[in-house]
Amino acid sequence: MSWIREGKLNLLERISANILMAGPMPKHVAFIMDGNRRFARKKHMERQDGHMQGFNKLAETLLWCKHLSIPEVTVYAFSIENFKRSKEEVDGLLELARQKFEKLLEEQENLEKHGVCIRVLGDLNMLPLDLQQVIAKAVIMTKNHNKCFLNVCFAYTSRYEITNAVREMASGVEQGLIKASDVSEALLSECLYSNDSPNPDLLIRTSGEVRLSDFLLWQTSHSCLVFQSVLWPEYSFWNLCEAVVQYQLNHKSIQKARELHLEEQALQQLEADCASVAEHLQHQGNGKPADAQRRQEALRHYIIAREARVQDFLQSLKRKRDSFFTDLCSETVLT
C-alpha cells in the first residue's frame, strides 16, 4: 500500500472542505494513532493485521490533509515504551516499518512530484541496523522537498527527547561552543528532534484515551488538543473535520497564548543578557557601576556575540545529525 495516495474528495466532502478552509486552518497537525490492537480484537483479526490497517488509515489521512491544505503532519508511530510489548509484537511492528520504508523508497517519483519531505524523529540507534539504513535512505532522498512534511516519531518519547536536548546543550558548554548563560528555553527548543518544524497547531488522539502518552509534551503546550473516541483504523474524513472545527473555535485563545509566551520568552532572555553584562562590567570595573551608555553598548555587543555562539553551536548540532543519516547510507553502499 502506497504512502502517497492519489484521489479526490466526493462532492459533499469538497463542499465541507471549502467551508472549513474559509476559517483559520492548522498548518501542522499531530496524531496519536491509537486503537489498532482494539480494532483487531473487534474484527477478530491478528494484531499485525490491525497495525497494517492503521498504516493504511495513515495514508488515507495524509490525503485528506493534502485536500485541506495542511502542509505538515507528525505521527506517533513507535514509542520507546513499545519495546516492552511481547517480542512477537515488537518484531512484527519493526518488520512492518521495514516494509513500509522500503516501499517508500520505491515511490521516489511520486514523493518528488508532491514535494514530500520525510523526517524521522527519535533515537534510531535503538533500532536494528538494517531498519536504520532504510530509514536513512528515505530521509536523505526527500530532504530537499519542501511542499509538505511528514514527521514520523519512531523509537521516541518526549521525555527522552527533552533529556537528549539537555545533554546536547551540556555537551556544547563542555566543548566551549556555548556558555552556561546561553542555555535557555528557546535554545532547548532548537535542540529537540523537531527543531525543523513549527509546533503543532492541533494534536489529535483517537480511541477515547485522554492522555498524551509522552508525545510532544514540550511542543504542544500551546496547541489545541482533541481526543476522539473512534479507533484509528476507523478514522474518517468527518472525524478530521470535527477536530479542525475544535481548533477553529479555540484559534483566537491559542494564538493569544502563543504571543504572550513569545513576549515572556523574549523578556526573560533580555533579563538574562542584562544580568550577564552587569556581572561582566562589575568585574571589569572592580565593583564600580558603569554609566548607562557603556551598559547599553556592552549589552549590544554581548547579544551579538551570544547569538553568534548559539548559531555556531546549532550548526554544529545540525551537521552531527545530518552525518548520522549520511553515514548510515554510506554503510549501506559499502555492505
Side-chain angles (χ1 to χ4, degrees):
M1 183 64 68
S2 173
W3 286 66
I4 310 301
R5 290 190 181 180
E6 303 287 349
K8 296 181 179 179
L9 302 177
N10 64 39
L11 179 60
L12 183 56
E13 289 171 341
R14 287 202 306 273
I15 292 171
S16 301
N18 288 334
I19 292 171
L20 270 184
M21 289 190 290
M25 290 295 292
K27 298 299 181 186
H28 182 184
V29 178
F31 290 95
I32 301 178
M33 307 177 293
D34 196 17
N36 293 341
R37 294 193 294 177
R38 271 172 279 176
F39 174 80
R41 287 196 297 270
K42 178 181 173 181
K43 297 295 183 180
H44 307 289
M45 59 174 62
E46 295 293 326
R47 280 181 180 176
Q48 191 67 6
D49 293 331
H51 292 305
M52 177 66 77
Q53 291 297 317
F55 172 80
N56 294 342
K57 183 56 62 176
L58 169 60
E60 193 174 8
T61 303
L62 294 175
L63 176 63
W64 298 332
C65 287
K66 188 182 85 166
H67 285 302
L68 290 171
S69 297
I70 297 170
E72 186 153 5
V73 171
T74 298
V75 296
Y76 204 2
F78 191 88
S79 167
I80 292 172
E81 295 298 311
N82 290 153
F83 283 113
K84 297 178 182 177
R85 295 182 181 181
S86 70
K87 184 179 186 304
E88 180 185 3
E89 185 174 2
V90 171
D91 288 347
L93 286 167
L94 296 180
E95 179 57 31
L96 178 61
R98 187 180 293 106
Q99 292 172 11
K100 295 310 174 185
F101 277 104
E102 286 174 350
K103 175 64 178 175
L104 188 67
L105 294 177
E106 298 171 8
E107 299 187 63
Q108 182 171 358
E109 187 176 331
N110 208 17
L111 290 165
E112 189 170 346
K113 171 185 171 184
H114 294 285
V116 181
C117 175
I118 304 291
R119 303 183 185 122
V120 181
L121 316 181
D123 188 350
L124 301 189
N125 287 305
M126 296 183 180
L127 304 176
L129 180 59
D130 60 336
L131 179 53
Q132 291 183 46
Q133 290 171 335
V134 73
I135 286 173
K137 285 181 182 178
V139 170
I140 295 292
M141 182 178 76
T142 64
K143 68 177 183 178
N144 294 322
H145 300 171
N146 58 11
K147 290 182 183 175
C148 49
F149 303 87
L150 173 60
N151 307 309
V152 182
C153 292
F154 211 97
Y156 172 94
T157 64
S158 187
R159 285 176 294 179
Y160 189 95
E161 177 185 33
I162 294 167
T163 302
N164 182 71
V166 172
R167 285 198 194 101
E168 295 290 4
M169 292 188 295
S171 175
V173 172
E174 188 178 340
Q175 294 175 54
L177 298 174
I178 53 174
K179 296 181 178 180
S181 57
D182 297 335
V183 173
S184 66
E185 182 182 325
L187 181 57
L188 192 149
S189 294
E190 291 293 331
C191 293
L192 297 174
Y193 298 136
S194 62
N195 69 301
D196 287 326
S197 299
N199 290 336
D201 301 300
L202 170 63
L203 182 144
I204 299 168
R205 178 167 189 160
T206 58
S207 87
E209 296 289 346
V210 289
R211 51 196 169 85
L212 295 180
S213 295
D214 215 348
F215 180 55
L216 301 181
L217 303 179
W218 183 275
Q219 297 90 333
T220 56
S221 58
H222 298 99
S223 302
C224 178
L225 310 181
V226 175
F227 300 97
Q228 297 176 303
S229 59
V230 62
L231 300 177
W232 175 250
E234 297 176 323
Y235 203 69
S236 72
F237 175 77
W238 303 111
N239 293 131
L240 179 57
C241 289
E242 176 195 15
V244 172
V245 168
Q246 287 297 315
Y247 167 77
Q248 291 179 336
L249 291 173
N250 292 281
H251 176 258
K252 286 186 179 179
S253 61
I254 290 170
Q255 290 303 109
K256 182 64 175 175
R258 285 182 170 181
E259 289 166 7
L260 288 173
H261 178 70
L262 288 174
E263 289 174 9
E264 181 183 350
Q265 198 175 73
L267 180 60
Q268 288 175 349
Q269 184 63 69
L270 180 59
E271 289 174 348
D273 289 342
C274 288
S276 294
V277 168
E279 183 180 355
H280 177 69
L281 289 176
Q282 188 174 27
H283 178 73
Q284 274 192 333
N286 296 319
K288 296 178 181 178
D291 60 64
Q293 183 177 352
R294 187 181 172 207
R295 286 199 305 272
Q296 281 297 111
E297 187 65 17
L299 179 61
R300 187 177 70 84
H301 284 294
Y302 179 83
I303 291 173
I304 291 171
R306 174 181 57 76
E307 290 177 347
R309 281 195 305 274
V310 166
Q311 285 306 309
D312 287 345
F313 165 68
L314 292 175
Q315 284 298 315
S316 172
L317 181 57
K318 184 178 188 307
R319 286 192 296 271
K320 171 185 168 183
R321 290 178 173 175
D322 287 347
S323 69
F324 174 80
F325 290 106
T326 53
D327 290 348
L328 279 171
C329 288
S330 300
E331 287 176 21
T332 308
V333 171
L334 291 173
T335 55

